[in-house]
Amino acid sequence: MKQRDLKYSCLIAVLYFGMNVNAQVTPNKDSVTKEQKIEEVVLIGYGTQKKENVTGSIGIVSAKDLADKPNSNPMSSVQGKLAGVQVINAGTPGGSPRVDIRGVGSLSGKTVFIVDGMITDDISYLNPQDIESMSVLKDPSSLAIFGARASNGAVIIKTKTGKGKPIFNVNSYLGIKKVTNIPKMVNANQYIELYNEKLVNDTGSSTGSISASQYPANTNWLDEILRTSIVNSNDFSASGSVGKLNYYGSIGYLQDEGNLAAGKGVNSGSGFNRLNTKVNLSYKITNNITIGDNFSFSKMHTDAAQNPLLNAYNAPPVYAPINPATGTYQYFTLVTVNNPRAQLDLYRSQTRQERLLNNVWGEAKFLNDFTFRISYTNDNINTSKYEFTPAITYIPNPSDSKLVTRDYTERNYVWDNTLSWKKSLGNHNLELLAGFSRSRNYNTQAYAEAFKLVYDGTNESLSISNGTNILLTNYEEGARNVIPFHTRTESFFGRINYDYEGKYLVNASIRRDGNSQYASDKRYGTFPAVSAGWVISREDFMSGQNVFNLLKLRGSWGRLGNPDVPRAVNLYTSNITSGAYFGTTGSPAQTIDMIIDPNIGWEITTGKDFGVEMALLNNTLKIDATYFDKETKDVVWGITQGTVSGASNWKNYITNAYSFNNKGFEVSVNYDKKINENVKIGLYGNFTSLKNEITSVYGGSFLETGASLFGNNIIRLEAGQAVGSYYGYQVDGVFQNQAEVNGWATQNGATVGGFKFKDMNGDGVIDARDKTFLGSPMPKGTYGFGFNMNVYDFDFGIDFQGVFGNKIYNYNREQRYGNESWDLDFYNNRWHGAGTSNSYAMTTNNQAIILPNSFYVEDGSYIRIRNIQVGYNLPKAFAQKLAVKKLRLYVSAQNPWTSFKYHGFSPEIMNSDRVQMGVDNNIYPISAIYTFGMNLTF
């Protein structure tokens, strides 16, 4: 038996004998009571609060929402679950999603996560099964207590703890992962037809045409590089108490093989695996003093392959992966595109990361009403990565082998101290919080490169010392992306929570942050917030009604700051050129290469929201509706300078240049009904509308940026438009004959079968002044809805999720430099004679036609079945005979169906660059995952 087969046989054995988890679902009265208590409170900054008393806008995610989903990152399972929260998933194995809360307020900041007190922007180390609860903070009043780090939203995560009798859980699933909606490409005969047609279109002659006898191959390159793969996960946890010690411990292993058909040649694969452990301890020294430790360790290994999807899209099908005459990789002569099979096989890259995160805390209660808490967290990340390309000999100009290694060391420390006072004075309830926090973050990098190495099949042979022309550096160097950093933050904060009889609610907070990234006169920022609520249902005049169990109005205002902005004051600021010449005499010279404002200050976000919360029909129906308005000023990004400075970045001057506004409406509806002891049903739905706008740009300027073809950028940042809006020519049809060309405005390169570009200013000439905005990647709305039911021992759930109103720029289609292949949709709809098409142009290499234009801007709307799951719980009597408390088997499908109009793999475009967030440029596709799993509690 092969080792791979043995691995999965062992997994199946594990699946048969056990699996999951949640102490909350243990079928005894104590655990049911515990679950109800957890649902009554939500996590807020530096504490918890009764949900009914919350005056901010906070989304709650339960452990149930995260369990049994085949996602390495917990946030992937939140997609479609919360109003105001857009999660864009990555298709790459182990990839982290992008999380946008109430639109885009910054081009550089990220949503942060507070995991057991530690602030981080990366939770790829965290096992979703270890999470007990999650609160997504959406409005500035909820976020202001975290100050500088939370301007783009924050997610508070509490991991599981133990109490009471020992409980053991095992969770496991085994699944297959498959890329869906693969674009259909032309076959060899169709390619030859289009190739020859293009010759006639561009030259008027068939000279140089090709035939099937010359090119007998017929390769589907997307099939060549993609595969169906395996994903599996196994977790074990134990929780309980021993005397005064409460404990929770877990160990888990996740493996995702990835969908690229890698692992041949020198390549080691395209998968991801993670081993993680978690230990949470708390010990009650006395009735008033408790200490604890939250410990996490993860070890992640990624086998990276160069993404060949764009080359596979462009590669002519008339070539085979291997040249039958030479037995080596086929070199393409018709087009300048790398052989996708060779691209996969002739590249080897591995990334190993170890992360240890430890949070030590202590809590002391004194004088009845006071609580002091101290917490110290250190987050240690060590990452080692190498990239190796062997000698490439199948191309006309062979290249030497090259090895690049990068070693990263990142250290993050957070020291928090809080003092709280909680007192009830008759009908007045008051809670005061004061705190001090200090954090330190630094990253060092070591870069090395060498040439002419010989790989013998072992990683040991890939040592820099085995090569020639060795370069070593650990200093800031932009050309090789070596950018170490060191930042420190010091914060003072306070908060007041007040309510009168639970009817009138007030929350006020203030935080002052000092950050070392700024000059001394701009180092500190102050961020206040206030919110209020009125629980109408508690009023005396509501006592006689039986419609509302809860009716609450709330409103909030707050201010936040973002220090994580692109500064790079030293990076690229000078450049040693080839020299300056005075007459015929050359002299060494140095010049300014980039201009970056040295006085860059804080990005400031100010927001307000107003909402209503309702619970009706004995709390079975809950509705939450909110209007929000968020404005960010002094956003740091580049603009075009008014005059040419001589620097290479004169079109990209970096300063506090932009102001953004995000406003919209969000609503959530939840209905849960217990029909009888054996039947329960639940429905949920959420909807968010959003309008994003750049409200001002420094000096009335703009920036044309993003991907470009022959110097034509496709994105323009300008006041009055949404972030990431596309800019180009509006297509007004296709020239059907020469008379139409002659009667049209003067257009460079205009020809029969080519695009008509609209004369926007009516001057009779088509030029750059006729460019216009073609659409935005920002959705006008996002939504999610679902249904679940429990009938006796069976359970069923289905989740839908979607977006609408956004546009995608299909840059994969636009990138044409010669004889790249075509997709089948273009073949079927192209112009190939008068009257054949008025929307698709002819086949051509005419770069005057292949300009940024509306043809490449496509509808990004979609609706998807995000998850569907059917489970069966073993009857209690039978489970008890097996000496277990719970045994559940389930099958599930994630992303099994998506409906969309976009001509690509998926309309879900994961691009971490928010400026280009809607540009499909070699994006790794989203996959469908089908799993079988089991949950065991004993």
Side-chain angles (χ1 to χ4, degrees):
M1 181 180 286
K2 296 181 180 179
Q3 182 178 3
R4 172 174 168 160
D5 296 332
L6 176 63
K7 173 176 63 178
Y8 296 125
S9 298
C10 293
L11 172 66
I12 292 170
V14 172
L15 281 167
Y16 184 80
F17 286 104
M19 300 31 330
N20 179 30
V21 196
N22 306 313
Q24 289 93 328
V25 299
T26 306
N28 60 55
K29 294 181 179 179
D30 291 339
S31 59
V32 173
T33 301
K34 178 180 178 181
E35 182 179 11
Q36 292 171 347
K37 289 182 178 179
I38 290 175
E39 292 177 347
E40 291 174 358
V41 299
V42 297
L43 300 172
I44 61 174
Y46 303 99
T48 61
Q49 192 174 21
K50 289 182 180 180
K51 188 177 187 305
E52 189 173 316
N53 291 345
V54 172
T55 51
S57 186
I58 299 177
I60 302 171
V61 181
S62 67
K64 182 181 178 181
D65 292 321
L66 306 176
D68 304 331
K69 306 295 192 301
N71 299 310
S72 61
N73 192 295
M75 289 306 297
S76 295
S77 300
V78 178
Q79 187 179 48
K81 294 286 188 178
L82 296 176
V85 180
Q86 186 181 15
V87 177
I88 301 93
N89 282 308
T92 52
S96 296
R98 194 182 81 233
V99 181
D100 293 333
I101 299 177
R102 292 183 171 177
V104 174
S106 174
L107 298 178
S108 54
K110 297 179 180 180
T111 297
V112 296
F113 305 90
I114 299 93
V115 184
D116 295 329
M118 178 67 199
I119 297 183
T120 179
D121 59 15
D122 177 19
I123 56 171
S124 60
Y125 73 95
L126 186 60
N127 185 347
Q129 297 286 5
D130 288 333
I131 295 176
E132 180 178 277
S133 59
M134 180 187 292
S135 291
V136 181
L137 311 185
K138 297 185 285 186
D139 69 304
S141 73
S142 301
L143 294 162
I145 195 70
F146 290 116
R149 293 297 302 273
S151 62
N152 289 281
V155 180
I156 305 177
I157 296 174
K158 183 180 184 300
T159 58
K160 293 177 180 176
T161 57
K163 189 174 183 180
K165 295 181 180 180
I167 297 176
F168 302 94
N169 301 282
V170 184
N171 307 278
S172 186
Y173 62 78
L174 173 65
I176 59 172
K177 186 176 180 181
K178 184 178 182 180
V179 176
T180 58
N181 305 305
I182 299 174
K184 294 180 179 180
M185 307 300 294
V186 296
N187 60 31
N189 289 333
Q190 292 164 335
Y191 176 84
I192 291 170
E193 179 186 351
L194 293 180
Y195 181 95
N196 293 335
E197 189 177 297
K198 181 174 64 66
L199 276 178
V200 176
N201 290 337
D202 288 348
T203 67
S205 169
S206 60
T207 302
S209 62
I210 61 176
S211 65
S213 60
Q214 295 172 282
Y215 298 93
N218 186 17
T219 302
N220 186 318
W221 286 103
L222 291 175
D223 285 350
E224 172 68 28
I225 65 165
L226 294 173
R227 67 179 179 186
T228 298
S229 62
I230 297 294
V231 58
N232 69 80
S233 175
N234 298 276
D235 305 284
F236 171 79
S237 67
S239 62
S241 300
V242 178
K244 297 181 179 181
L245 177 69
N246 295 332
Y247 65 87
Y248 172 84
S250 71
I251 184 169
Y253 180 77
L254 170 73
Q255 182 183 27
D256 181 350
E257 289 184 342
N259 288 122
L260 292 179
K264 302 177 182 179
V266 304
N267 186 269
S268 59
S270 64
F272 168 82
N273 60 68
R274 179 183 68 203
L275 174 69
N276 54 270
T277 60
K278 178 71 178 172
V279 177
N280 288 343
L281 303 172
S282 65
Y283 183 77
K284 202 164 189 177
I285 299 175
T286 69
N287 289 335
N288 296 319
I289 300 176
T290 306
I291 59 174
D293 183 80
N294 301 311
F295 171 87
S296 296
F297 175 78
S298 65
K299 190 172 184 178
M300 292 180 283
H301 180 104
T302 303
D303 288 304
Q306 281 191 343
N307 185 350
L309 286 165
L310 181 58
N311 282 334
Y313 186 90
N314 288 328
V318 296
Y319 290 109
I322 303 298
N323 187 329
T326 63
T328 60
Y329 294 103
Q330 178 69 61
Y331 176 72
F332 300 164
T333 56
L334 292 175
V335 63
T336 307
V337 172
N338 290 331
N339 183 323
R341 181 74 261 167
Q343 185 180 359
L344 272 181
D345 296 349
L346 301 180
Y347 176 81
R348 182 182 182 88
S349 177
Q350 292 185 342
T351 301
R352 292 181 174 87
Q353 183 183 95
E354 292 185 354
R355 186 170 186 177
L356 189 153
L357 193 152
N358 194 50
N359 167 247
V360 181
W361 58 272
E363 188 174 272
K365 298 179 180 180
F366 59 97
L367 299 179
N368 296 323
D369 305 315
F370 288 89
T371 302
F372 175 75
R373 183 181 176 92
I374 184 171
S375 170
Y376 181 79
T377 306
N378 64 82
D379 185 8
N380 304 307
I381 306 173
N382 296 312
T383 305
S384 178
K385 178 181 180 180
Y386 73 78
E387 303 169 39
F388 173 69
T389 304
I392 309 297
T393 59
Y394 78 95
I395 58 178
N397 299 308
S399 61
D400 290 331
S401 64
K402 180 180 180 180
L403 174 67
V404 172
T405 65
R406 300 175 186 271
D407 294 305
Y408 305 85
T409 300
E410 186 173 350
R411 300 290 182 265
N412 305 301
Y413 305 99
V414 177
W415 178 38
D416 287 329
N417 303 268
T418 60
L419 177 65
S420 62
W421 178 68
K422 190 173 184 179
K423 189 72 173 178
S424 294
L425 303 171
N427 293 323
H428 301 272
N429 301 301
L430 185 65
E431 183 175 0
L432 305 180
L433 173 76
F436 168 77
S437 179
R438 178 174 290 171
S439 65
R440 179 186 177 195
N441 314 87
Y442 71 88
N443 177 305
T444 60
Q445 300 182 40
Y447 173 94
E449 66 180 40
F451 295 84
K452 297 184 178 180
L453 293 93
V454 178
Y455 174 63
D456 64 7
T458 65
N459 280 340
E460 288 71 22
S461 62
L462 298 180
S463 172
I464 290 293
S465 61
N466 294 334
T468 63
N469 299 332
I470 297 173
L471 171 69
L472 304 173
T473 182
N474 58 3
Y475 293 101
E476 186 172 64
E477 186 177 344
R480 293 178 172 84
N481 197 30
V482 181
I483 310 173
F485 67 85
H486 186 181
T487 63
R488 295 179 302 276
T489 303
E490 183 176 80
S491 308
F492 300 87
F493 53 90
R495 180 176 62 211
I496 300 173
N497 278 326
Y498 168 80
D499 75 81
Y500 176 75
E501 290 187 331
K503 293 189 292 186
Y504 312 116
L505 317 170
V506 176
N507 174 296
S509 67
I510 189 167
R511 179 162 176 142
R512 183 165 174 80
D513 285 320
N515 189 279
S516 63
Q517 293 190 88
Y518 296 106
S520 58
D521 60 332
K522 296 188 176 183
R523 186 158 294 170
Y524 285 89
T526 302
F527 309 108
V530 63
S531 60
W534 177 25
V535 185
I536 303 173
S537 54
R538 285 184 173 268
E539 293 288 357
D540 293 339
F541 60 79
M542 295 288 287
S543 60
Q545 59 85 33
N546 55 10
V547 176
F548 294 100
N549 302 104
L550 172 68
L551 179 59
K552 180 173 71 173
L553 300 179
R554 53 177 172 78
S556 69
W557 174 92
R559 179 176 294 158
L560 300 162
N562 176 30
D564 298 327
V565 296
R567 292 175 57 81
V569 174
N570 297 319
L571 196 62
Y572 300 121
T573 53
S574 63
N575 179 41
I576 300 176
T577 66
S578 57
Y581 282 81
F582 300 91
T584 58
T585 304
S587 302
Q590 193 168 20
T591 185
I592 295 174
D593 187 49
M594 291 186 73
I595 297 180
I596 300 173
D597 185 357
N599 296 312
I600 287 175
W602 295 81
E603 292 182 350
I604 301 297
T605 296
T606 304
K608 56 182 178 290
D609 75 359
F610 306 95
V612 57
E613 296 177 26
M614 293 178 281
L616 306 92
L617 306 177
N618 281 332
N619 288 309
T620 58
L621 177 62
K622 297 180 180 179
I623 302 172
D624 189 329
T626 304
Y627 170 80
F628 62 89
D629 188 337
K630 180 174 68 173
E631 184 172 12
T632 305
K633 294 184 177 181
D634 296 327
V635 176
V636 177
W637 206 253
I639 57 171
T640 299
Q641 298 178 64
T643 57
V644 177
S645 64
S648 66
N649 76 319
W650 69 272
K651 289 186 177 181
N652 191 12
Y653 172 62
I654 299 173
T655 186
N656 292 103
Y658 296 87
S659 292
F660 298 160
N661 181 264
N662 294 273
K663 65 178 63 174
F665 178 80
E666 58 187 42
V667 60
S668 298
V669 180
N670 291 273
Y671 178 78
D672 292 287
K673 178 70 173 179
K674 183 177 180 181
I675 306 298
N676 55 47
E677 290 299 321
N678 297 309
V679 180
K680 299 177 183 178
I681 62 170
L683 298 98
Y684 77 91
N686 63 76
F687 171 80
T688 305
S689 68
L690 176 67
K691 181 181 179 182
N692 171 274
E693 182 181 354
I694 301 173
T695 54
S696 68
V697 183
Y698 177 76
S701 187
F702 62 91
L703 180 68
E704 293 189 6
T705 185
S708 66
L709 192 67
F710 298 101
N712 296 289
N713 295 102
I714 63 177
I715 291 172
R716 182 175 172 115
L717 302 178
E718 183 178 302
Q721 304 297 323
V723 172
S725 290
Y726 315 121
Y727 191 69
Y729 295 95
Q730 181 67 48
V731 173
D732 201 25
V734 175
F735 292 112
Q736 302 296 321
N737 50 56
Q738 189 60 42
E740 288 192 8
V741 175
N742 296 338
W744 197 250
T746 302
Q747 178 178 321
N748 181 41
T751 183
V752 176
F755 286 130
K756 294 179 182 177
F757 294 143
K758 192 171 184 179
D759 185 7
M760 300 299 293
N761 63 359
D763 65 356
V765 178
I766 306 298
D767 55 23
R769 290 170 294 184
D770 293 300
K771 286 185 177 181
T772 186
F773 288 94
L774 305 174
S776 160
M778 301 295 299
K780 293 180 180 177
T782 61
Y783 58 89
F785 60 94
F787 169 76
N788 61 80
M789 64 184 300
N790 293 73
V791 179
Y792 290 88
D793 296 319
F794 290 90
D795 59 82
F796 169 80
I798 185 169
D799 300 313
F800 292 84
Q801 170 263 333
V803 304
F804 67 90
N806 61 307
K807 301 295 183 180
I808 298 171
Y809 198 96
N810 194 337
Y811 194 60
N812 294 334
R813 259 190 169 182
E814 187 190 19
Q815 293 183 72
R816 301 197 61 82
Y817 303 91
N819 301 315
E820 291 86 355
S821 189
W822 294 267
D823 58 58
L824 191 59
D825 173 76
F826 178 84
Y827 173 84
N828 291 330
N829 295 285
R830 77 193 187 282
W831 186 95
H832 55 284
T836 55
S837 176
N838 197 40
S839 54
Y840 286 61
M842 64 182 179
T843 55
T844 183
N845 281 342
N846 186 345
Q847 297 302 327
I849 296 176
I850 310 174
L851 291 170
N853 65 69
S854 59
F855 175 77
Y856 304 107
V857 179
E858 301 188 36
D859 186 2
S861 305
Y862 71 89
I863 182 173
R864 166 185 295 154
I865 295 179
R866 177 58 177 152
N867 284 287
I868 184 169
Q869 187 171 124
V870 179
Y872 174 70
N873 289 277
L874 221 59
K876 294 180 181 179
F878 189 72
Q880 289 173 355
K881 291 180 180 179
L882 298 177
V884 299
K885 294 182 178 179
K886 176 185 175 182
L887 180 60
R888 176 176 178 265
L889 297 85
Y890 68 90
V891 291
S892 73
Q894 181 168 279
N895 304 327
W897 173 83
T898 307
S899 176
F900 59 93
K901 297 179 180 178
Y902 174 64
H903 296 99
F905 283 97
S906 169
E908 185 172 3
I909 306 298
M910 168 53 196
N911 197 327
S912 58
D913 179 0
R914 284 182 168 86
V915 173
Q916 302 190 74
M917 58 187 164
V919 179
D920 189 355
N921 183 10
N922 203 28
I923 300 296
Y924 201 105
I926 301 295
S927 300
I929 306 175
Y930 304 90
T931 59
F932 165 72
M934 296 177 69
N935 308 135
L936 174 68
T937 301
F938 59 96

